[in-house]
Amino acid sequence: MTLHIINQSPLGGSALQDCLGSFVEGDALLLIEDAVYAAASPAEHKLPQGQVFALAADAQARGVTLAQAVTGIDETAWVDLCVAHTPIVSWFR
Amino acid sequence: MTLHIINQSPLGGSALQDCLGSFVEGDALLLIEDAVYAAASPAEHKLPQGQVFALAADAQARGVTLAQAVTGIDETAWVDLCVAHTPIVSWFR
Amino acid sequence: MAKSILALCRHAPYGNALAREGLEAILACAAMDQVPSVLFSGDGVYQLLEQDPVAINEKSLRRNLQALPMFGIEHIHVCRKSADARGIAADTLQLAGAEIVLLADTGPFIRGFDQVLSF
Amino acid sequence: MAKSILALCRHAPYGNALAREGLEAILACAAMDQVPSVLFSGDGVYQLLEQDPVAINEKSLRRNLQALPMFGIEHIHVCRKSADARGIAADTLQLAGAEIVLLADTGPFIRGFDQVLSF
Amino acid sequence: MQFTLVVYGAPHSSEGAATALRFARAALATGHSIYRVFFYADGVHNGSALAAPPQDEQDLLGQWQSLQQSHALDLTVCIAAAQRRGLLSESEANRLEKPSANLADGFTLAGLGQLAEAAAVSDRLISFGG
Amino acid sequence: MQFTLVVYGAPHSSEGAATALRFARAALATGHSIYRVFFYADGVHNGSALAAPPQDEQDLLGQWQSLQQSHALDLTVCIAAAQRRGLLSESEANRLEKPSANLADGFTLAGLGQLAEAAAVSDRLISFGG
């Protein structure tokens, strides 16, 4: 099952929308860098239910409060996610 | 009257949408680089009526056929547009 | 006569350098007595949120923002549509020493300037 | 056993270097006998259009694309939704020596690979 | 009319620098003048003396330098943006105790004040995104 | 598990390089190994010996070099992407007749084959966008 990683803000570019078009149930979604803005309102951005993560450090840096449906993780948990998933797809710029 | 210059593809980023939100009747719109993809279907991308230009070289490079509502121009005509307008606003990335 | 200058800030902080380098350019203009007006639009409105970037080893860009009033920039213009689209309530936007001016229509505002610096 | 590799190409040609450098990486992988599968998605589908970049002093990226079959990449996968959204008719997409495979759903396809290179 | 060009894009990374060159040539060819080209953000890499693109790709550095020589163009690179990105003149390299310098001939390092001043006095300012 | 990291972002331009460093440290701290860090596109600027960020900004070059030394990290910079962008080793500078070199200690220039090989043999490949 795929781990999708997005680093672009939800309205600033197409990365999130492109990713959601390739998301399959059972995949995991990780929001990093500017993508954490989507983690404040997952329903509005049509994020999948469950298996949605965000880097806590990136959210904290930007003053973003994670919605309950999004699991905040640190870098170690990110490594674990990578171990548990294959392939890992980055959606950027 | 403002000259708005956009260089980002219509679906790849928010530059075109952001620009259209600041467009006032009488302003001019110039599509350059990846933004010329919008010039193939101006209605679909909600481009204004009239005063819409595209750099012909950039469109030709990408195999984009300009719709009739879009005026293809060369770099010299671009300079003229800049002389005729103020301010000049670039919407990029 | 010197031209009037608008700085248009459209990018979120930290993800790339444009937000930081935009604020630095604005402060430099102001320090040179070419005080620009400033408009936050698109993802640029995210620059106005509270920030705590210690965990990503960055300096807070809010600091640079807070310096604007000291350089004579006392009005911070914000595109209301951009804030609304990002779920940012207008009354949560505050900057000590500055007045937040929400613009319903940025087009006529932009037209009033001679030069626009985009960041 | 060597991992299976997918190259995911999401960016338009010429505006930035990712399209060009993506194709170069794909050719390099293929030359090393790590022949990747290739998927054009998002703005990446624009790479498949005819191009004539002489006027902007660039080399045509179609040339690099046309080299793919010679390196054993005989199937070019294209996200159908992306092509549709950009008004690109599927039957206009052609590449000599290669078969254009339109994917209605890219997610299960991506899942089939061990590694994904994003460009 | 006097133009100032602000370049945000690095050569061979985004198209902005090449587009700026096309615009600059057209402006000069039609009798306008260019007050300054200001390289900011990733645009500072336009001033690298070390860029070595393949033979069949355009030589943007050579194009800037040739315009600079024929029209006494003011090519100013923002010194703060350049330091962060590793673009240094001889004197900056010495001052910062770095092993070498890479600022190309024809380009000058200067502060952001040069952008402010150019915006204030030029007839038109146009930005080329990265 | 063996990871390969592909870095597309230049330091101080986009956040990708800093994020890659955070990931690399976490992976190494939890007992995984890093087969290779491959710097591609604008990511090649991570290997610049001349970057001089302000004192109060993080020193990404120093962080890469320190990880390299403590874990014998393979920091490979794509030679073709580097040449276009003006990042040269001593021998490349000589060969291309350029006035100086700027590749930092700890980084190696190599071809795209090193990316292909790393993708083929690593357990996981993860890309950090620019």
Side-chain angles (χ1 to χ4, degrees):
Chain A
M1 265 119 39
T2 304
L3 171 63
H4 301 269
I5 303 175
I6 308 167
N7 80 342
Q8 200 177 38
S9 77
L11 299 182
S14 65
L16 175 59
Q17 289 314 309
D18 288 358
C19 168
L20 294 181
S22 291
F23 192 89
V24 183
E25 201 180 318
D27 287 355
L29 186 68
L30 172 63
L31 306 167
I32 69 170
E33 303 177 2
D34 287 347
V36 297
Y37 290 113
S41 45
E44 188 186 326
H45 297 296
K46 303 201 169 69
L47 301 193
Q49 313 258 332
Q51 297 286 353
V52 180
F53 305 88
L55 270 190
D58 289 341
Q60 184 186 340
R62 290 162 176 80
V64 171
T65 305
L66 302 183
Q68 258 200 320
V70 178
T71 306
I73 63 170
D74 64 8
E75 286 72 11
T76 302
W78 182 8
V79 173
D80 294 342
L81 271 183
C82 290
V83 170
H85 290 82
T86 175
I88 303 165
V89 187
S90 295
W91 305 81
F92 57 83
R93 203 189 150 106
Chain B
M1 265 122 37
T2 304
L3 171 62
H4 300 269
I5 303 175
I6 307 166
N7 81 339
Q8 200 176 38
S9 77
L11 300 182
S14 65
L16 176 59
Q17 290 314 309
D18 288 357
C19 168
L20 294 180
S22 291
F23 192 90
V24 183
E25 201 181 319
D27 287 355
L29 186 69
L30 173 62
L31 305 167
I32 70 171
E33 304 176 1
D34 286 347
V36 298
Y37 290 113
S41 46
E44 189 185 325
H45 297 295
K46 303 201 170 66
L47 302 193
Q49 312 260 331
Q51 297 287 352
V52 180
F53 304 88
L55 269 191
D58 289 341
Q60 184 186 339
R62 290 162 176 81
V64 170
T65 306
L66 303 182
Q68 259 200 320
V70 179
T71 306
I73 63 171
D74 65 9
E75 286 72 12
T76 302
W78 181 8
V79 173
D80 294 342
L81 270 183
C82 291
V83 170
H85 290 83
T86 174
I88 304 166
V89 187
S90 295
W91 305 81
F92 56 83
R93 204 190 150 105
Chain C
M1 217 190 72
K3 306 283 178 178
S4 61
I5 304 172
L6 172 67
L8 173 63
C9 302
R10 293 180 49 247
H11 291 86
Y14 309 113
N16 69 68
L18 271 170
R20 178 181 305 282
E21 297 193 312
L23 289 172
E24 289 178 2
I26 290 166
L27 291 171
C29 287
M32 293 274 296
D33 284 331
Q34 307 294 344
V35 183
S37 293
V38 180
L39 168 60
F40 291 92
S41 177
D43 277 356
V45 300
Y46 287 133
Q47 294 186 40
L48 298 163
L49 299 181
E50 290 296 334
Q51 294 154 34
D52 180 15
V54 168
I56 61 167
N57 301 311
E58 292 283 339
K59 283 186 303 184
S60 173
L61 281 182
R62 278 283 290 191
R63 298 260 178 86
N64 303 38
L65 211 56
Q66 280 156 353
L68 296 182
M70 290 180 264
F71 283 83
I73 299 169
E74 287 156 359
H75 295 84
I76 304 291
H77 300 88
V78 177
C79 170
R80 178 188 287 275
K81 279 181 286 194
S82 301
D84 288 349
R86 286 159 185 80
I88 298 172
D91 57 6
T92 64
L93 298 178
Q94 290 188 354
L95 192 68
E99 188 184 341
I100 305 285
V101 183
L102 288 158
L103 298 179
D105 195 353
T106 52
F109 177 75
I110 290 171
R111 261 199 191 178
F113 293 89
D114 296 317
Q115 320 276 33
V116 176
L117 295 169
S118 295
F119 301 108
Chain D
M1 213 189 76
K3 307 282 178 177
S4 60
I5 304 172
L6 172 67
L8 173 62
C9 302
R10 294 180 48 247
H11 290 87
Y14 309 115
N16 69 68
L18 271 169
R20 177 182 305 284
E21 296 192 315
L23 289 172
E24 289 177 2
I26 291 165
L27 292 172
C29 287
M32 293 275 296
D33 284 330
Q34 308 294 344
V35 182
S37 293
V38 181
L39 168 60
F40 291 91
S41 177
D43 277 357
V45 299
Y46 287 133
Q47 294 185 41
L48 297 163
L49 298 181
E50 289 296 334
Q51 294 154 34
D52 180 13
V54 168
I56 60 168
N57 301 311
E58 293 283 340
K59 283 187 302 184
S60 174
L61 280 183
R62 279 282 290 191
R63 297 259 179 83
N64 302 37
L65 211 55
Q66 281 158 352
L68 296 182
M70 289 179 267
F71 284 82
I73 299 169
E74 287 157 359
H75 295 85
I76 304 291
H77 301 87
V78 178
C79 170
R80 179 188 288 273
K81 281 181 283 194
S82 301
D84 288 350
R86 286 159 184 80
I88 298 172
D91 57 7
T92 65
L93 297 178
Q94 291 190 353
L95 192 69
E99 187 184 344
I100 305 285
V101 183
L102 287 159
L103 297 179
D105 195 354
T106 52
F109 178 74
I110 289 172
R111 260 198 191 179
F113 294 89
D114 296 316
Q115 321 276 31
V116 177
L117 295 169
S118 294
F119 300 108
Chain E
M1 208 168 246
Q2 268 196 329
F3 284 87
T4 283
L5 280 55
V6 187
V7 178
Y8 291 93
H12 306 288
S13 295
S14 75
E15 201 177 349
T19 304
L21 270 161
R22 284 156 56 199
F23 184 90
R25 276 191 292 263
L28 294 168
T30 49
H32 299 287
S33 65
I34 293 180
Y35 183 74
R36 182 167 294 145
V37 184
F38 191 84
F39 298 93
Y40 197 43
D42 290 345
V44 302
H45 290 298
N46 282 279
S48 169
L50 305 186
Q55 294 282 351
D56 56 354
E57 290 184 22
Q58 57 181 330
D59 169 20
L60 293 170
L61 173 63
Q63 291 181 45
W64 282 121
Q65 289 177 321
S66 139
L67 268 194
Q68 197 277 326
Q69 290 192 345
S70 56
H71 293 83
L73 221 54
D74 176 343
L75 303 180
T76 298
V77 176
C78 173
I79 190 166
Q83 282 178 11
R84 284 189 180 116
R85 291 172 176 81
L87 191 82
L88 304 178
S89 64
E90 287 286 352
S91 63
E92 284 294 292
N94 287 335
R95 189 176 66 80
L96 297 161
E97 300 180 358
K98 294 291 176 182
S100 61
N102 56 350
L103 184 70
D105 290 344
F107 292 79
T108 311
L109 293 176
L112 277 163
Q114 298 296 302
L115 173 61
E117 192 252 355
V121 307
S122 303
D123 297 305
R124 297 285 186 278
L125 179 142
I126 175 169
S127 303
F128 296 85
Chain F
M1 207 167 244
Q2 269 197 328
F3 283 88
T4 282
L5 280 54
V6 187
V7 179
Y8 291 93
H12 306 287
S13 295
S14 75
E15 201 177 349
T19 304
L21 270 161
R22 285 158 56 201
F23 184 91
R25 277 191 292 263
L28 294 169
T30 49
H32 298 288
S33 64
I34 294 180
Y35 183 75
R36 181 167 292 146
V37 185
F38 190 83
F39 298 93
Y40 196 43
D42 291 346
V44 300
H45 290 299
N46 282 280
S48 170
L50 305 185
Q55 294 280 352
D56 57 355
E57 290 184 21
Q58 58 181 328
D59 168 21
L60 294 169
L61 174 62
Q63 292 180 45
W64 283 122
Q65 288 176 322
S66 140
L67 269 195
Q68 197 277 325
Q69 289 190 347
S70 55
H71 292 82
L73 221 54
D74 176 342
L75 303 179
T76 297
V77 176
C78 172
I79 191 166
Q83 281 179 10
R84 284 187 179 119
R85 290 170 176 83
L87 191 82
L88 305 178
S89 64
E90 288 287 349
S91 62
E92 284 295 291
N94 287 336
R95 190 176 66 81
L96 297 161
E97 299 180 0
K98 296 289 175 182
S100 60
N102 57 349
L103 184 70
D105 290 344
F107 293 80
T108 312
L109 293 176
L112 277 163
Q114 298 296 302
L115 173 61
E117 192 254 354
V121 306
S122 303
D123 297 306
R124 296 287 184 276
L125 179 142
I126 174 170
S127 302
F128 296 86

